[in-house]
């Protein structure tokens, strides 16, 4: 797009200038703040990519830009365009609105509840309406009118609709007509490039027979998207492709290898979503202004709840976030290996056996880290009412948020108290650094595991538990020190200065040790013990990962995996520090 056009681009949700992100399935451009909310909605609601830092197929980016330029946002804000909407109090967000709750509530209403989409007249048989819409979609994809097709899809038209009279799907029609942007839109909404028409031909066959070679090759890429994406995550490049055949030299179509095991398909799709979350996190961190870690926007700690999935599946999806970079890469390899074996006909005697071995690996990999298989990573599924800020927590008695620190929370505490550096110096006076460093590895368990924490607590029953807590201003001051050091580490990660990781981690570990020293060695509060456990164990893991980054024989892909783990550890430390600030403030105010 030309600079003149780009200069007029504004966020579809709040009208902030120069949006840097796109929601692929919604066909809109969004700003950083609104993107932080979109990411928390989940890919089933919004699939986000950075306009310049994310890898884009050219035709897919062109599809989004065309939709945005042709007013696709009016589909999602139809009722807001009615002058009477201002009278009724309905309005869209603006750049000055706070992220929480203003922008968050508006974006959820817009994309999750589809509160502003034009509604079809109510009919007795909804299936008839969907069939009529799908037939309209089938006819419309032969033209270049993308926004019409997006509107039909938003109303319930099915991308894989098989037309009983025509004997094919909308993607067959788009392929025959050479409508590559329509094909991109249909694929985003789940259209299958391998679907067969009544004669046994695929959309790929249609495109080739009509002479649309570029479109045919793109459809092949779409067909292999899942396994290609997993392969790219592992080695940083996509498998080679042969233009004369739909077969890839190193890849394979998932659709061909899961014909007898739906459970494996679900697992592969969930791993794909987790790859997308991790890669988007990396882009997010690389493109943010790290002058402050404490922001009003939020990280996405695990895959948000998809209401169409069962609670068990949502819990399994959330467990994927607990994998270290190495563990997750091993699971991806397991998925690719098993899929390849299935496609080539070398599956085990019982297809179910093999996928269950992989599913057990979700817990098995954690066993190697000392985790307890019997303890679930999450005791309950995160609420789909607030996927951006809420995280799962089995301890119903605790009202601590498991999300990142927000500006509001931080400033509310800070404004009530004045930081007292003199008190901290007095507290730490006479404590040698060597004496403090033992706190990090000895006084608190270094593994955030529920069963081991209980065992540690049992061992401490012989000693006297201490219910006293440090004053809140001291904890805030140490939190600021930790945050400042984390900012330095994140800047190093953004600038790929891996040699700076280890010095930064040493500063963070020292600050964490000093913060842990503020608390009694045997806190009576289970919440405080858990937060200190997370704080110190995350600092220990951070230091180990930074030591790996200092090695000179790492490949670029290894460096990328280590960097992702370093960033995750940094956010775990920030989260634990926030918890300690919150609980200290609450207890001291009681």
């Amino acid at each position: 797009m030309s600079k003149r056009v780009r200069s007029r681009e504004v966020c579809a949700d709040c009208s902030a200038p120069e949006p840097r992100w796109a929601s692929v399935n919604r066909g809109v451009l969004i700003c950083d703040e609104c993107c932080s909310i979109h990411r928390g909605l989940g890919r089933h609601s919004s699939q986000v990519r950075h306009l310049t830092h994310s890898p884009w197929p050219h035709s897919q980016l062109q599809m989004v830009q065309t939709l945005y330029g042709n007013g696709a946002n009016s589909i999602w804000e139809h009722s807001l365009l009615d002058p009477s909407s201002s009278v009724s109090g309905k309005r869209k967000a603006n750049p000055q609105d706070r992220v929480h709750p203003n922008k968050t509530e508006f974006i959820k209403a817009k994309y999750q509840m589809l509160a502003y989409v034009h509604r079809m007249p109510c009919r007795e048989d909804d299936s008839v309406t969907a069939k009529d819409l799908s037939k309209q979609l089938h006819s419309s994809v032969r033209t270049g009118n993308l926004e019409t097709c997006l509107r039909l899809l938003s109303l319930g038209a099915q991308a894989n609709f098989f037309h009983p009279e025509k004997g094919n799907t909308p993607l067959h029609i788009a392929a025959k007509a050479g409508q590559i942007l329509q094909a991109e839109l249909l694929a985003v909404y789940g259209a299958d490039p391998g679907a067969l028409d009544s004669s046994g031909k695929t959309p790929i066959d249609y495109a080739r027979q009509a002479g649309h070679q570029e479109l045919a090759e793109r459809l092949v890429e779409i067909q292999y998207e899942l396994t290609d994406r997993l392969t790219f995550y592992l080695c940083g490049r996509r498998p080679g492709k042969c233009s004369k055949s739909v077969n890839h030299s190193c890849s394979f179509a998932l659709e061909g290898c899961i014909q007898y095991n739906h459970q494996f398909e679900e697992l592969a799709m969930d791993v794909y979503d987790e790859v997308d979350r991790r890669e988007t996190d990396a882009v997010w961190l690389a493109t943010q202004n790290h002058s402050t870690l404490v922001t009003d926007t939020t990280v996405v700690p695990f895959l948000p709840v998809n209401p169409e999935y069962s609670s068990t599946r949502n819990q399994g999806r959330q467990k994927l976030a607990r994998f270290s970079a190495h563990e997750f890469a091993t699971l991806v390899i397991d998925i690719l290996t098993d899929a390849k074996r299935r496609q080539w006909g070398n599956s085990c005697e019982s297809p179910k056996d093999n996928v269950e071995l992989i599913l057990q690996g979700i817990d098995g990999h954690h066993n190697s880290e000392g985790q307890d298989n019997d303890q679930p990573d999450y005791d309950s599924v995160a609420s789909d009412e607030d996927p951006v800020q809420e995280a799962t927590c089995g301890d119903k008695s605790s009202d601590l948020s498991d999300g990142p620190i927000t500006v509001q929370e931080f400033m509310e505490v800070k404004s009530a108290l004045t930081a007292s550096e003199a008190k901290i110096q007095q507290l730490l006076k006479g404590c040698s650094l060597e004496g403090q460093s033992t706190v990090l590895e000895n006084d608190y368990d270094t593994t955030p595991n529920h069963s081991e924490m209980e065992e540690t607590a049992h061992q401490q029953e012989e000693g006297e538990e201490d219910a006293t807590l440090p004053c809140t201003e001291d904890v805030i001051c140490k939190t600021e020190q930790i945050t400042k050091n984390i900012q330095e580490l994140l800047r190093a990660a953004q600038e790929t200065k891996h040699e700076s990781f280890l010095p930064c981690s040493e500063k963070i570990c020292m600050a964490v040790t000093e913060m842990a020293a503020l608390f009694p060695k045997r806190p009576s509060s289970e919440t405080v013990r858990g937060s200190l456990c997370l704080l110190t164990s995350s600092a220990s893991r951070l230091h180990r990962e930074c030591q790996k980054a200092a090695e000179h024989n790492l490949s670029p892909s290894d460096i990328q995996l280590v960097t992702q783990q370093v960033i995750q550890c940094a956010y775990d430390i920030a989260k634990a520090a926030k918890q300690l600030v919150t609980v200290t403030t609450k207890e001291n105010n009681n």
Side-chain angles (χ1 to χ4, degrees):
M1 301 179 74
S2 67
K3 290 184 178 180
R4 179 178 298 178
V5 174
R6 291 193 65 87
S7 66
R8 294 197 299 267
E9 291 176 354
V10 297
C11 173
D13 296 333
C14 74
S15 301
E18 300 180 2
R20 303 196 301 169
W21 294 81
S23 174
V24 181
N25 57 324
R26 304 299 183 178
V28 296
L29 306 185
I30 51 180
C31 67
D32 284 23
E33 283 194 346
C34 291
C35 177
S36 72
I37 303 168
H38 276 251
R39 292 175 58 216
L41 300 180
R43 295 187 72 252
H44 54 281
S45 290
S46 183
Q47 301 170 17
V48 298
R49 282 188 177 176
H50 196 278
L51 290 175
T52 56
H53 286 69
S54 296
W56 279 85
H58 173 72
S59 53
Q60 189 180 71
L61 177 59
Q62 188 180 357
M63 179 266 291
V64 172
Q65 291 175 328
T66 301
L67 281 171
Y68 175 84
N70 291 336
N73 195 41
S74 63
I75 295 173
W76 315 112
E77 296 183 357
H78 176 82
S79 63
L80 294 180
L81 301 177
D82 187 342
S84 63
S85 64
S86 59
V87 179
S88 64
K90 295 180 180 179
R91 72 168 184 88
K92 70 180 297 175
N94 62 59
Q96 290 73 40
D97 281 339
R98 297 180 62 169
V99 173
H100 306 293
N102 306 74
K103 289 185 178 181
T104 301
E105 291 179 355
F106 171 74
I107 289 172
K108 284 183 179 180
K110 180 177 176 180
Y111 298 109
Q112 280 189 331
M113 296 178 282
L114 301 179
Y116 313 117
V117 171
H118 174 65
R119 299 294 180 182
M120 296 290 290
C122 294
R123 297 174 61 169
E124 294 182 1
D125 189 352
D126 289 340
S127 64
V128 173
T129 301
K131 185 176 181 180
D132 291 342
L133 290 170
S134 298
K135 284 186 174 181
Q136 292 182 45
L137 177 67
H138 190 278
S139 175
S140 298
V141 294
R142 69 179 72 250
T143 73
N145 198 333
L146 287 177
E147 57 274 21
T148 296
C149 293
L150 180 60
R151 190 181 304 276
L152 291 168
L153 289 165
S154 74
L155 293 173
Q158 300 300 306
N160 277 316
F161 173 73
F162 187 86
H163 199 296
E165 289 84 22
K166 306 294 184 181
N168 51 28
T169 70
L171 191 56
H172 284 92
I173 299 300
K176 184 177 181 179
Q179 294 290 345
I180 190 169
L181 301 189
Q182 293 282 21
E184 290 285 359
L185 178 60
L186 291 169
V188 166
Y189 277 81
D192 180 10
L196 301 178
D197 69 356
S198 55
S199 301
K201 295 180 180 179
T202 68
I204 299 172
D205 296 328
Y206 274 50
R208 286 207 171 102
Q209 290 174 2
H212 307 302
Q213 191 61 31
E214 180 184 357
L215 174 53
E217 291 303 312
R218 176 59 188 142
L219 289 174
V220 171
E221 290 179 354
I222 293 171
Q223 186 176 21
Y224 289 79
E225 166 64 20
L226 189 148
T227 48
D228 276 5
R229 181 77 176 271
L230 299 188
T231 305
F232 183 82
Y233 176 80
L234 290 175
C235 60
R237 60 187 179 86
R238 297 188 182 277
K241 298 178 177 62
C242 176
S243 60
K244 296 182 180 180
S245 170
V246 297
N247 293 323
H248 294 208
S249 59
C250 303
S251 189
F252 38 88
L254 185 66
E255 294 82 359
C257 64
I258 55 176
Q259 52 189 335
Y260 42 72
N261 200 315
H262 184 66
Q263 190 179 24
F264 180 74
E265 177 186 14
E266 289 185 348
L267 176 61
M269 292 168 61
D270 293 344
V271 169
Y272 176 94
D273 285 350
E274 176 65 11
V275 164
D276 182 81
R277 185 192 71 84
R278 294 189 180 210
E279 291 184 338
T280 303
D281 269 355
V283 174
W284 175 264
L285 290 166
T287 56
Q288 296 305 295
N289 179 3
H290 296 303
S291 59
T292 175
L293 178 67
V294 185
T295 66
D296 201 23
T297 57
T298 59
V299 296
V300 181
F302 47 77
L303 289 174
V305 170
N306 186 333
E308 296 183 1
Y309 296 161
S310 66
S311 296
T312 302
R313 183 175 178 185
N314 275 312
Q315 286 178 332
R317 285 163 60 86
Q318 292 175 358
K319 286 183 179 182
L320 294 173
R322 293 291 185 93
F323 278 42
S324 69
H326 175 74
E327 291 167 343
F328 187 65
T330 302
L331 176 60
V332 172
I333 292 172
D334 289 344
I335 294 288
L336 291 172
T337 302
D338 195 68
K340 196 170 191 177
R341 179 166 53 249
R342 288 165 186 271
Q343 186 185 27
W344 288 359
N346 296 325
S347 61
C348 49
E349 292 183 5
S350 172
K352 185 179 179 182
D353 293 342
N354 216 31
V355 69
E356 286 184 347
L357 286 173
I358 296 178
L359 289 170
Q360 290 169 8
I362 291 181
D363 290 326
H365 288 306
H366 283 286
N367 264 350
S368 64
E369 294 287 326
Q371 299 268 353
D372 186 353
N373 251 1
D374 296 330
Q375 294 292 336
D377 286 312
Y378 295 89
D379 295 318
S380 61
V381 179
S383 169
D384 57 358
E385 293 296 320
D386 191 5
V388 178
Q389 288 182 298
E390 290 186 6
T392 50
C393 181
D395 184 6
K396 298 289 180 67
S397 63
S398 171
D399 60 355
L400 289 178
S401 168
D402 198 30
I405 309 171
T406 67
V407 170
Q408 180 183 0
E409 292 169 338
F410 193 91
M411 295 308 295
E412 282 177 354
V413 176
K414 188 173 180 180
S415 61
L417 301 160
T418 304
S420 176
E421 184 64 29
K423 286 187 178 181
I424 294 177
Q425 294 300 328
Q426 182 179 1
L427 178 67
L428 298 179
K429 188 175 182 179
C431 296
S432 67
L433 180 60
E434 181 181 355
Q436 294 169 16
S437 65
T438 60
V439 175
L440 188 61
E441 296 294 342
N442 299 327
D443 286 339
Y444 302 101
D445 194 350
T446 57
T447 304
N449 179 280
H450 293 293
S451 61
E452 293 181 3
M453 287 170 59
E454 291 172 1
E455 182 180 350
T456 302
H458 177 72
Q459 292 173 350
Q460 292 177 346
E461 286 180 358
E462 298 179 0
E464 185 177 351
E465 293 184 343
D466 193 342
T468 60
L469 294 176
C471 67
T472 309
E473 60 185 7
D474 291 348
V475 178
I476 291 176
C477 190
K478 283 303 169 189
T479 299
E480 289 179 325
Q481 184 178 345
I482 290 173
T483 300
K484 180 180 178 181
N485 293 328
I486 290 178
Q487 291 166 5
E488 184 180 352
L489 176 64
L490 292 180
R491 281 193 294 270
Q494 182 180 0
E495 298 168 4
T496 63
K497 295 181 178 178
H498 306 115
E499 68 279 359
S500 300
F501 283 9
L502 192 54
C504 288
S505 73
E506 291 172 348
K507 293 179 183 178
I508 293 172
C509 287
M510 183 181 299
V512 165
T513 301
E514 293 174 357
M515 184 167 183
L518 298 177
F519 292 83
K521 291 186 177 181
R522 295 180 177 85
S524 60
S525 168
E526 181 180 348
T527 302
V528 172
R529 290 200 303 271
S531 299
L532 287 169
C533 170
L534 177 62
L535 181 76
T536 56
S537 63
S538 298
S540 297
R541 288 190 296 110
L542 174 70
H543 189 65
R544 289 195 296 270
E545 294 297 330
C546 289
Q547 286 178 323
K548 294 180 186 177
E551 298 175 4
H552 298 290
N553 59 344
L554 293 181
S555 66
S557 59
D558 289 337
I559 282 289
Q560 183 182 10
L561 293 175
V562 170
T563 300
Q564 290 178 2
Q565 191 68 8
V566 164
I567 292 171
Q568 184 62 56
C569 290
Y571 272 100
D572 286 343
I573 293 170
K575 177 174 66 177
K578 171 210 172 176
Q579 291 176 342
L580 290 171
V581 170
T582 305
V583 71
T584 303
T585 303
K586 178 182 176 182
E587 294 298 326
N588 288 339
N589 288 341
N590 288 339

